[in-house]
């Protein structure tokens, strides 16, 4: 004890430091620096740590990550790559990696590069494989074909996916009509929309839309890989027609789709309102009938994943069947002792989840969850560990090899990041020694309490881990977070696992006998409780979770950090925290454009002096408006056109907005709807937006966004340079407070004073790349 206390006592009696003590400390510091590992020793240590994880199978996981990076890189390239170059790069790098396979880390780098090239090549091949005709421009057509899918919408109409047999425009047949189209019929006008039947109708269709914001989600790319070449709405009624014999593949798919639709109708008839719509979504995957209010509450509370048939539902269905068969057979000693009941249960679970996959419509999230669950079942049959990173990597590789484009889909990223994080957390917990106190618990009551408490803690921990892993994707794609999502999931997940899903399975078994009302009623009680929790949580302060758009570099950094932290097991994994910290640091620095123009010229928005968007024609595309508002963390409703329009002033010829920010010179933005307005607006405005063809001289004095520009760029944003504020300027605003937003209730554009000579200098960012990709319509 005296020896242990001596250093501290000496320290206490040490005199105040003097100049010599400073030099001594400097010498000690230099000695410590010299004792640090040299670069060569550090390289050896890092190599040893890497080898440790590679020997445990991490190399395969990183190869899958590299393949996914290649597939994603192909999808985001601004120009279409040349196929021979991709093929030669993939083959050459693979050959070099094979030749240098004993070269250590160099061979590993070559293997990763070969995987990246193979991913790009797979993306290119898929783009060729799914190529199908698309509508060239927006037009009114007469469609004849077969209904492949039909789903009830929240307004009571029907959204149809139609396999096209013939398409006419103005009495002339279109030479290469789209193979598939999506068309929505209003309530009461869809009597002929029977799945698998031939139909004919008139529709207003247009090519699939691209991103509504530069760098945003590309809906045209999703439609391209789904095979849809046009989308729109039905004019008039859908009538039965003789389209000839339907393709064999369509007949088989239509039979399953018809069964799904009939079950959904039965469920919604037994459970009217939002509860029935959510019940149909949980059982057969029809989600479009869910009211917008319920969808918003679920989204804000972080419960949207529950209504999307994915890993949670596959686990509940497949795991329930697996447990029932295994423990049921275990009650029969003759079978349990002589037969592999665990493997028999895995086969039964495979049949159950496969049937559920077919019944749910086989959505992207459902297919992915099925693959992941089946990989786990195969691991059981092969006597391999079920919960492992290699199984997650196998599932991801299987999906990416078949459909490489899914690697950039939000659902793919969220699912695999969540599962990978959960597997990593499970690996850390399973490495801990068991608590001896738990083994000393006596009595059935104490054991039940312990297990119940552990179950709640486990669900809370799983919700927290999965929420953290998926938060970057939610923030980047949906511009929001779920601040109370863990609380909502802790309350709701027990209800889902003990009430909603078990009684959903019972309802499916009871429907053939007409006895579904009882289990559906109990299921409805659980759904009502879930909606009550969602509405309560979303109503809390900040419950909407709007955070606005984050910097484009934030999501790749966050994904890299999560992958790095989860795939390594040595201290090297802590470097992933550096990437996550960088993602958080750059997230708030997203661009806030001054002007936004929607695809086709509407809606159009200007950032007002208060920082909010003044949006004209907000109802022209409510989805675009809602996306813009979410990107700006603006809680206003996209349907409140008068409130959104702000200080826009309109007359029958067009509209104008006086951009009078205090930090820069004032400018006028003009929207031209009549050619007669060009002469004045081109002279007064700094920017002219129109869906018409602007006169050639207009571009000499203004930035012109006309029909040809919009066809080339799609949705776009503009940013003005920030000159010093002009002195003595005060923006004019003489409109009455109640006159905002209506087309004919404002002062005409001629009442605005010109903002002075302004050179047409602006940074324009297009949502469509200059070199069109296969999924984008051809430019002018």
């Amino acid at each position: 004890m005296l020896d242990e206390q001596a250093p501290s006592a000496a320290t206490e009696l040490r005199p105040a430091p003097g100049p010599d003590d400073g030099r001594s400390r400097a010498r000690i510091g230099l000695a410590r620096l010299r004792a640090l590992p040299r670069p060569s020793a550090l390289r050896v240590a890092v190599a040893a740590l890497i080898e440790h994880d590679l020997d445990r199978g991490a190399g395969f996981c990183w190869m899958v990550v590299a393949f996914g990076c290649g597939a994603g890189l192909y999808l985001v390239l601004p120009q279409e790559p040349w196929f021979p170059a991709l093929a030669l790069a993939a083959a050459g790098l693979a050959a070099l990696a094979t030749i240098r396979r004993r070269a250590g880390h160099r061979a590993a780098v070559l293997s990763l590069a070969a995987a990246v090239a193979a991913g790009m090549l797979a993306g290119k091949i898929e783009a060729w494989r799914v190529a199908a005709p698309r509508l060239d421009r927006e037009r009114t057509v007469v469609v004849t074909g077969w209904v492949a899918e039909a789903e009830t919408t929240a307004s009571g109409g029907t959204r149809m996916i139609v396999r096209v047999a013939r398409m006419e425009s103005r009495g002339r047949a279109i030479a290469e009509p789209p193979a598939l189209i999506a068309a929505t019929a209003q309530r009461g006008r869809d009597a002929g929309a029977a799945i698998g039947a031939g139909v004919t109708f008139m529709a207003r269709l247009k090519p699939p839309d691209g991103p509504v914001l530069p760098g945003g989600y590309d809906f045209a790319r999703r439609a391209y890989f789904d095979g849809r070449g046009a989308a729109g709405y039905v004019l008039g009624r859908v009538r039965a027609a003789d389209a000839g014999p339907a393709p064999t593949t369509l007949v088989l798919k239509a039979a399953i789709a018809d069964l799904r639709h009939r079950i959904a109708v039965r469920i919604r008839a037994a459970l009217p309102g939002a509860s029935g719509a959510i019940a149909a979504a949980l059982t057969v995957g029809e989600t479009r009938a869910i009211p917008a209010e319920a969808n918003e509450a679920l989204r804000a509370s972080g419960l949207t994943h529950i209504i999307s048939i994915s890993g949670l539902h596959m686990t509940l269905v497949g795991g329930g069947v697996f447990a029932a068969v295994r423990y049921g057979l275990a009650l029969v000693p003759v079978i349990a002792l002589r037969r592999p009941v665990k493997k028999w249960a895995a086969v039964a679970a495979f049949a159950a989840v496969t049937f559920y996959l077919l019944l749910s419509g086989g959505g992207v999230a459902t297919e992915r969850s099925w693959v992941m669950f089946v990989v786990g079942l195969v691991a059981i049959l092969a006597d391999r560990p079920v919960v492992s990173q290699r199984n997650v990597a196998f599932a991801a590789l299987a999906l990416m090899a078949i459909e490489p484009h899914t690697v950039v889909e939000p659902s793919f990223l969220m699912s695999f990041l969540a599962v990978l994080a959960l597997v990593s957390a499970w690996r850390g917990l399973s490495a801990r020694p068991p608590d001896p106190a738990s083994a000393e618990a006596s009595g059935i009551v104490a054991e039940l309490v312990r297990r119940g408490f552990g179950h709640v803690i486990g669900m809370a921990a799983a919700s927290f881990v999965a929420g953290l892993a998926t938060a970057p994707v939610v923030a980047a794609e949906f511009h929001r977070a779920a601040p109370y999502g863990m609380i909502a999931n802790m309350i709701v997940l027990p209800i889902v696992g003990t009430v909603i899903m078990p009684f959903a399975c019972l309802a499916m078994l009871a429907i053939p006998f007409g006895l579904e009302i009882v289990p559906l009623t109990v299921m409805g009680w659980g759904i009502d409780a879930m909606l009550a929790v969602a509405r309560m949580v979303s109503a809390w302060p900040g419950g909407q979770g709007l955070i606005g758009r984050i910097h484009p570099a934030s999501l790749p950094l966050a994904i890299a950090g999560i992958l790095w932290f989860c795939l390594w097991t040595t201290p090297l994994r802590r470097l992933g925290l550096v990437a996550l910290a960088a993602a958080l640091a750059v997230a708030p620095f997203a661009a806030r454009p001054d002007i936004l123009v929607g695809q086709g010229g509407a809606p159009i928005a200007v950032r007002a002096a208060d920082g909010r968007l003044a949006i004209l024609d907000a109802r022209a595309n409510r989805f675009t408006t809602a996306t813009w508002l979410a990107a700006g963390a603006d809680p206003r409703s996209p349907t409140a056109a008068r409130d959104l329009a702000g200080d826009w002033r309109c007359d029958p010829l067009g509209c104008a907005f006086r951009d009078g920010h205090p930090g820069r010179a004032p400018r006028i933005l003009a929207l031209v709807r009549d050619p007669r307005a060009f002469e004045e607006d081109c002279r007064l405005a700094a920017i002219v937006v129109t869906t018409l063809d602007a006169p050639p001289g207009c571009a000499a004095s203004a930035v012109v966004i006309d029909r040809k520009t919009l066809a080339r760029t799609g949705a776009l944003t503009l940013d003005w340079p920030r000159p010093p504020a002009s002195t003595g300027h005060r923006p004019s605003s003489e409109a009455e407070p109640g006159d905002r937003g209506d087309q004919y209730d404002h002062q005409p554009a001629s009442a605005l004073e010109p903002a002075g000579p302004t050179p047409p200098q602006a940074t324009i960012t297009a949502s469509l790349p200059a070199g069109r990709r296969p999924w984008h319509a051809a430019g002018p």
Side-chain angles (χ1 to χ4, degrees):
M1 292 293 296
L2 291 175
D3 291 338
E4 293 176 359
Q5 294 177 356
S8 61
T11 303
E12 293 177 359
L13 297 175
R14 185 176 297 164
D20 293 338
D21 293 327
R23 287 191 292 271
S24 298
R25 291 178 180 177
R27 286 193 296 270
I28 293 172
L30 289 174
R32 289 178 176 176
L33 286 175
R34 294 190 188 101
L36 290 175
R38 295 183 179 181
S40 58
L42 184 61
R43 286 196 298 268
V44 172
V46 171
L49 294 176
I50 293 176
E51 288 292 341
H52 175 271
D53 276 342
L54 292 181
D55 291 340
R56 294 173 176 263
F60 173 74
C61 297
W62 282 112
M63 290 288 288
V64 174
V65 170
F67 183 88
C69 289
L73 180 61
Y74 165 76
L75 295 169
V76 300
L77 287 176
Q79 299 281 347
E80 188 66 16
W82 192 37
F83 177 80
L86 293 179
L88 288 174
L93 288 170
L96 284 175
T98 303
I99 295 172
R100 303 295 302 275
R101 61 184 179 276
R102 301 184 184 277
H105 294 158
R106 293 174 183 156
V109 172
L110 286 172
S111 299
L112 292 175
V116 172
M120 296 182 67
L121 182 62
K124 177 72 173 181
I125 293 173
E126 185 194 18
W128 276 357
R129 178 171 56 84
V130 302
R134 286 162 296 161
L135 203 62
D136 56 346
R137 57 182 174 84
E138 185 174 2
R139 56 172 67 187
T140 301
V141 297
V142 176
V143 179
T144 302
W146 306 274
V147 179
E149 299 177 22
E151 186 173 345
T152 303
T153 64
S155 61
T158 301
R159 181 182 184 268
M160 304 178 296
I161 302 296
V162 179
R163 177 74 64 89
V164 178
R166 297 185 300 276
M167 181 179 289
E168 299 178 352
S169 177
R170 297 183 179 181
R172 295 182 179 179
I174 296 178
E176 293 187 16
L180 289 176
I181 66 165
T184 302
Q186 296 180 2
R187 181 200 297 257
R189 298 185 177 183
D190 54 356
I195 297 178
V199 293
T200 184
F201 54 88
M202 180 179 291
R204 184 68 176 175
L205 302 178
K206 63 177 180 179
D209 291 334
V212 300
L213 273 172
Y217 183 79
D218 196 339
F219 299 94
R221 182 183 63 213
R222 172 68 179 273
Y224 177 84
F225 286 103
D226 286 347
R228 290 181 281 110
Y233 54 90
V234 175
L235 302 173
R237 294 182 177 275
V238 179
R239 295 182 173 83
D242 183 10
T248 304
T249 56
L250 177 62
V251 173
L252 297 176
K253 292 180 179 179
I256 298 174
D258 184 59
L259 175 62
R260 294 177 52 238
H261 189 62
R262 291 177 183 273
I263 292 174
V265 170
R266 291 274 292 271
I267 292 174
R268 287 192 292 266
L271 288 177
S275 297
I278 293 176
L282 289 169
T283 51
V284 295
E286 287 199 5
T287 60
R288 294 184 178 273
I290 301 175
E293 177 270 335
N295 255 330
E296 181 62 26
L298 293 170
R299 189 180 299 114
S301 59
L303 298 175
T304 306
H305 67 97
I306 292 176
I307 63 173
S308 173
I309 298 177
S310 55
L312 172 66
H313 310 81
M314 284 289 175
T315 302
L316 291 173
V317 173
V321 172
F322 179 86
V325 173
R326 184 181 183 187
Y327 293 124
L329 293 176
L331 296 176
V332 184
V334 175
I335 298 178
L337 296 176
R338 298 181 180 180
R339 297 289 184 255
V341 295
K342 185 178 180 180
K343 296 183 179 181
W344 287 8
V347 173
F350 171 78
V353 295
T354 302
F355 176 74
Y356 192 35
L357 171 69
L358 297 174
L359 195 62
S360 66
V364 176
T366 314
E367 290 178 352
R368 180 177 56 256
S369 304
W370 179 85
V371 170
M372 294 179 67
F373 195 88
V374 169
V375 168
L377 296 178
V378 172
I380 292 175
L381 296 175
D383 296 320
R384 303 289 295 177
V386 176
V387 181
S388 70
Q389 292 177 342
R390 289 179 63 88
N391 288 351
V392 178
F394 270 120
L397 182 61
L399 286 171
M400 291 187 297
I402 298 172
E403 296 180 331
H405 76 277
T406 58
V407 73
V408 296
E409 294 294 326
S411 58
F412 180 95
L413 295 173
M414 292 172 65
S415 291
F416 278 103
L417 288 176
V419 172
L420 188 62
L422 291 172
V423 170
S424 180
W426 172 263
R427 181 185 60 197
L429 290 175
S430 61
R432 298 175 58 184
D435 186 6
S438 62
E440 298 176 0
S442 60
I444 187 171
V445 175
E447 182 66 14
L448 289 175
V449 171
R450 186 184 68 82
R451 291 196 177 189
F453 182 74
H455 182 65
V456 173
I457 295 299
M459 284 192 300
S463 177
F464 180 73
V465 171
L468 284 181
T470 57
V473 182
V474 175
E477 298 294 341
F478 307 109
H479 316 303
R480 65 169 69 230
Y484 308 112
M486 188 177 71
I487 299 175
N489 278 277
M490 285 178 60
I491 300 173
V492 169
L493 286 180
I495 301 174
V496 174
T498 59
V499 178
I500 295 178
M501 291 307 298
F503 281 90
C505 294
L506 290 177
M508 296 303 297
L509 295 175
I511 281 179
F513 304 97
L515 302 174
E516 69 273 11
I517 185 65
V518 175
L520 283 178
T521 300
V522 180
M523 183 184 180
W525 294 343
I527 293 174
D528 290 340
M530 179 179 69
L531 287 175
V533 172
R535 294 186 179 106
M536 175 188 70
V537 170
S538 61
W540 289 351
Q544 293 298 313
L546 290 174
I547 60 174
R549 198 176 191 189
I550 64 174
H551 194 277
S554 183
L555 180 59
L557 284 171
I559 293 176
I562 294 171
L563 291 174
W564 189 274
F565 188 81
C566 292
L567 293 181
W568 296 118
T569 61
T570 62
L572 284 177
R573 66 189 310 207
R574 297 171 187 169
L575 293 177
L577 300 177
V578 177
L580 290 173
L584 286 174
V586 303
F589 296 99
R592 288 167 54 88
D594 295 323
I595 299 169
L596 300 93
V597 182
Q599 182 169 317
I604 180 171
V606 183
R607 193 168 302 281
D610 61 359
R612 300 199 306 175
L613 293 176
I615 305 177
L616 185 68
D617 292 339
R619 293 180 180 176
N621 191 322
R622 293 183 182 179
F623 179 80
T624 297
T625 302
T627 303
W628 289 356
L629 292 173
D634 193 331
R636 290 179 294 174
S637 171
T639 61
R642 297 176 67 89
D643 177 56
L644 293 174
D647 291 329
W648 278 95
R649 304 178 181 183
C650 297
D651 62 19
L653 302 183
C655 301
F657 188 95
R658 180 74 175 254
D659 181 8
H661 284 259
R664 62 184 182 223
R667 295 180 176 89
I668 293 176
L669 169 65
L671 174 64
V672 177
R673 290 175 171 155
D674 191 295
R676 293 174 294 175
F678 277 122
E679 189 277 329
E680 181 181 43
D681 288 341
C682 290
R683 176 171 49 86
L684 297 177
I687 177 171
V688 175
V689 179
T690 179
T691 57
L692 307 172
D693 289 328
C698 191
S701 58
V703 176
V704 176
I705 307 296
D706 61 358
R707 181 186 63 84
K708 294 181 180 179
T709 304
L710 292 169
R712 185 175 65 253
T713 63
L716 53 85
T717 62
L718 293 94
D719 291 279
W720 293 113
R722 301 294 193 267
S726 57
T727 59
H729 167 69
R730 186 181 69 179
S732 62
S733 179
E734 302 176 4
E736 294 295 329
D739 288 345
R740 300 188 303 171
D742 292 329
Q743 182 174 355
Y744 299 107
D745 291 345
H746 298 296
Q747 298 179 13
S750 58
L752 291 169
E753 296 180 359
T758 303
Q761 297 177 356
T763 302
I764 301 177
T765 306
S767 62
L768 300 182
R772 293 302 175 90
R773 305 305 302 278
W775 43 89
H776 295 139

